[in-house]
Amino acid sequence: MIVFLGTSHAAEHLYEAARQKGVALTTDPKRADLIFVSEDTPTDERGNRFLAPITNLLREAAGYGVPIVLTSQVPPGFTRATGLPEIYHQAETLRIKDAMERALAPDYIAVGCLTCQSYGLLPAAYREYLEAFACPVQIMTFEEAEFSKIAVNMFLSAQVDITNKLAVAAKRSDAYWPRVAKVLALDKRIGPDAYLTPGRWQDSLHLLRDHVTLEEILAR
């Protein structure tokens, strides 16, 4: 039995996706074999994270004495620093415009572990959850799973940056950008899910937060 702790939309989508996939769920943490901590990481307008709410929720989850899966967006090293004996980090890859679709059919699931080297060493309840989604599961270290979320978001940010430049250049070349974008969407190396609409990726706190974290890492 799995319980989801958190008030975020991500927690709601992950819970509903698990329910639709037939995963055994409960709303009572005392009956759970596995606890998902799926709270959004509070972020200010400059992209700085506030991790205290995540820490508090993990402290609550640890009191139930069962394995924990953390899906909140945290910087590399956070999960390891909790010191919890049986915790896993699952990089959450939802986005607002199609969150439920991505929750039901993830491209992959990245799982960060303390010591496990293979899928078979994961808790039985977690394996049941992962198997329900029938997608590739990447087993890695905590830091690799945490950093994978940052890496994905930085690639998406770079797509927006080049889209902005191309849209300006297209206008100066008397080319209609939306029609050019359709060509890019048909190219398998780029694809229909590419970020081909001009705009400011900095207005997305999720992307801005990971940009700030990446710059902090590089400045060490």
Side-chain angles (χ1 to χ4, degrees):
M1 299 278 276
I2 296 175
V3 68
F4 284 81
L5 296 183
T7 58
S8 67
H9 290 301
E12 296 174 5
H13 291 312
L14 293 173
Y15 174 89
E16 179 59 21
R19 187 191 67 79
Q20 291 190 33
K21 292 293 185 178
V23 176
L25 300 171
T26 180
T27 58
D28 183 1
K30 295 179 181 178
R31 299 180 56 201
D33 303 305
L34 182 70
I35 295 177
F36 269 70
V37 172
S38 301
E39 188 63 78
D40 268 345
T41 304
T43 306
D44 68 15
E45 67 278 2
R46 295 182 178 180
N48 298 305
R49 306 171 191 251
F50 295 96
L51 297 170
I54 310 302
T55 301
N56 292 338
L57 202 55
L58 284 172
R59 187 177 297 115
E60 175 189 344
Y64 295 104
V66 298
I68 297 170
V69 177
L70 174 64
T71 72
S72 301
Q73 305 90 347
V74 296
F78 176 88
T79 308
R80 187 180 301 277
T82 66
L84 296 174
E86 196 164 12
I87 185 171
Y88 304 88
H89 182 80
Q90 179 174 311
E92 179 261 293
T93 59
L94 306 184
R95 61 184 180 183
I96 294 174
K97 71 175 185 178
D98 58 358
M100 195 65 240
E101 290 83 352
R102 290 182 65 81
L104 282 167
D107 298 326
Y108 62 89
I109 298 177
V111 178
C113 307
L114 176 62
T115 57
C116 66
Q117 301 298 317
S118 69
Y119 177 85
L121 295 177
L122 297 174
Y126 196 16
R127 293 200 307 272
E128 175 191 346
Y129 170 88
L130 295 170
E131 289 165 3
F133 291 92
C135 69
V137 176
Q138 299 295 315
I139 304 296
M140 51 185 62
T141 67
F142 288 142
E143 291 77 13
E144 289 163 350
E146 293 161 336
F147 193 79
S148 71
K149 172 69 173 178
I150 295 173
V152 167
N153 278 345
M154 291 303 92
F155 263 91
L156 299 180
S157 301
Q159 285 184 353
V160 178
D161 282 339
I162 191 61
T163 291
N164 289 335
K165 291 180 181 180
L166 290 171
V168 170
K171 185 176 181 179
R172 294 177 182 176
S173 303
D174 295 325
Y176 184 54
W177 173 251
R179 278 196 284 270
V180 176
K182 287 183 179 179
V183 172
L184 298 176
L186 292 171
D187 192 309
K188 291 181 180 179
R189 296 165 299 176
I190 302 171
D193 292 327
Y195 283 30
L196 300 175
T197 301
R200 275 177 45 85
W201 61 261
Q202 293 89 344
D203 292 335
S204 166
L205 286 183
H206 290 80
L207 299 182
L208 180 59
R209 175 179 58 214
D210 284 342
H211 171 76
V212 169
T213 300
L214 178 61
E215 292 302 314
E216 289 173 349
I217 293 171
L218 294 174
R220 288 175 188 170

